[in-house]
Structures are given as C-alpha cells and as structure tokens.
Amino acid sequence: MATRNFVPRKDGEGSIGKSRKHWGAAYIDKIFVKTVEVLGGGTENDAQPATVGWVKQGFSKLLSSGLTAAGLTCNIAANGYIKLGRLFGGLIIQWGESTVPINRFTVNRNQKVGNLEITFPITFPNYVFTVVNNAAGVHTQGAWIVNNASALSVKTKGFVSQMSIPQDVVFIDNGGNEWGVIGTYIAIGY
C-alpha cells in the first residue's frame, strides 16, 4: 500500500523533485522546513511537528519532574551530595575535602596528630551509617607516610577529621599554614 505523502507510486506520481506532485508538499517537506525555522531562531510548540530539540526538551522536563517527585536531588561539586529520596528509603551519599592544615597538628606519642571539624554539605536528617576518611597526600619534605586517617565524633552535621603522621616528618609551609595532610571523605546515611 503506497502512502502518497511518503512513498512515490510506481507510476511516478509524487516523484521527488516535482513541486506539483504530492511528494514535494509532503509532511517530510514540512518537517525539513520546521527544522530550518527552529535552527534559524523560530520557536517550537506542541502544535508543530516534533524536532529532536523539542523531544529532548520534553524528555528532560519529564525526567526532571519524575526524579523530583521521587525526592532525588544532588549537588555535584568538590563538597557535594546525592539524596536518593523516597525511592531508595531516603539514602544520602555525601563527599568532600577533609584536609587538616599544619597549624592543627601537635605531637602526641611520637606522632604528629591533627584534627579539624568538618561540616557536611547538608545535614543528614536521621542517621549516619558510616564516614570513610582518607589521606590523599601530604605537603612534606621527602617521602610521606600517613599512619592514620580517621573520622571521629561522627554526627548528622559533620565529623572530626583526624590525621596522624610520624613525628619526624617535616611539613612544607606555603606561608599560610593551610597546607598539611590532604584528605577526602565519603559519608552515607539517611
């Protein structure tokens, strides 16, 4: 079964290139003109043929409203979070920097120990399951060793990042005392 607006008939009616034939004024031609109009700064609406941009925009709105209705929100940044919402029981995953600067270190039992209170990007509404604190680097002379990176006094608003290194390690100071043991963390709760 031939479709006059899309496929030319065997007898040549509607053949491509003849403006008086159905093929030239077909829906396909309207889609092409619509695409050129939109690319040229025109607007799209539901009364016109769908373009790729219109479909992407519609899908984006649908996905966004669905995820928002499920309670999923996020802040993708150096110190950020993902709230998985009701769909996953209110689970929240947070991450960030837990660097302890030089001026926070004191000597304790042959160790340099430094503490710094870290505040989560958002407060966990109920409970924190775990915080994994990790030493990612140290501004020191020569090789470095971190004996321990801990998360102490964990609460729904934050925790204390504790880093310890051997007493004989010498820090390099950039003049502002903000260098020290570079740390990162991930926290999971709800």
Side-chain angles (χ1 to χ4, degrees):
M1 173 173 137
T3 304
R4 295 181 78 162
N5 284 338
F6 296 105
V7 180
R9 293 184 176 173
K10 286 183 183 180
D11 63 9
E13 181 185 348
S15 32
I16 298 173
K18 296 180 182 176
S19 60
R20 61 184 169 79
K21 299 295 185 179
H22 292 286
W23 186 261
Y27 189 68
I28 299 293
D29 190 35
K30 291 178 185 175
I31 289 175
F32 175 75
V33 170
K34 169 64 180 149
T35 303
V36 170
E37 286 174 3
V38 171
L39 291 175
T43 59
E44 298 184 65
N45 61 49
D46 293 339
Q48 298 171 336
T51 63
V52 172
W54 182 84
V55 171
K56 284 182 177 179
Q57 182 181 19
F59 182 73
S60 178
K61 286 179 183 177
L62 178 65
L63 182 62
S64 178
S65 65
L67 293 174
T68 300
L72 188 125
T73 58
C74 65
N75 177 20
I76 306 300
N79 293 308
Y81 64 88
I82 296 176
K83 291 173 71 174
L84 297 175
R86 294 182 302 275
L87 190 60
F88 294 96
L91 190 68
I92 300 171
I93 302 170
Q94 300 192 60
W95 60 87
E97 185 178 305
S98 59
T99 298
V100 179
I102 294 171
N103 62 354
R104 296 294 189 135
F105 280 84
T106 57
V107 176
N108 184 3
R109 296 188 202 152
N110 297 328
Q111 297 283 317
K112 287 183 180 172
V113 178
N115 295 323
L116 183 66
E117 192 166 328
I118 303 295
T119 303
F120 295 130
I122 59 171
T123 300
F124 287 99
N126 299 301
Y127 184 74
V128 180
F129 294 120
T130 189
V131 176
V132 177
N133 196 20
N134 179 53
V138 179
H139 293 103
T140 61
Q141 295 177 352
W144 62 274
I145 298 172
V146 174
N147 289 350
N148 195 15
S150 303
L152 307 174
S153 304
V154 176
K155 297 182 173 62
T156 57
K157 291 182 180 185
F159 68 100
V160 173
S161 174
Q162 183 180 76
M163 305 289 184
S164 64
I165 61 174
Q167 181 179 349
D168 58 344
V169 172
V170 178
F171 282 117
I172 298 172
D173 186 5
N174 69 343
N177 276 330
E178 64 254 4
W179 287 2
V181 179
I182 303 161
T184 57
Y185 72 87
I186 187 166
I188 302 171
Y190 74 103

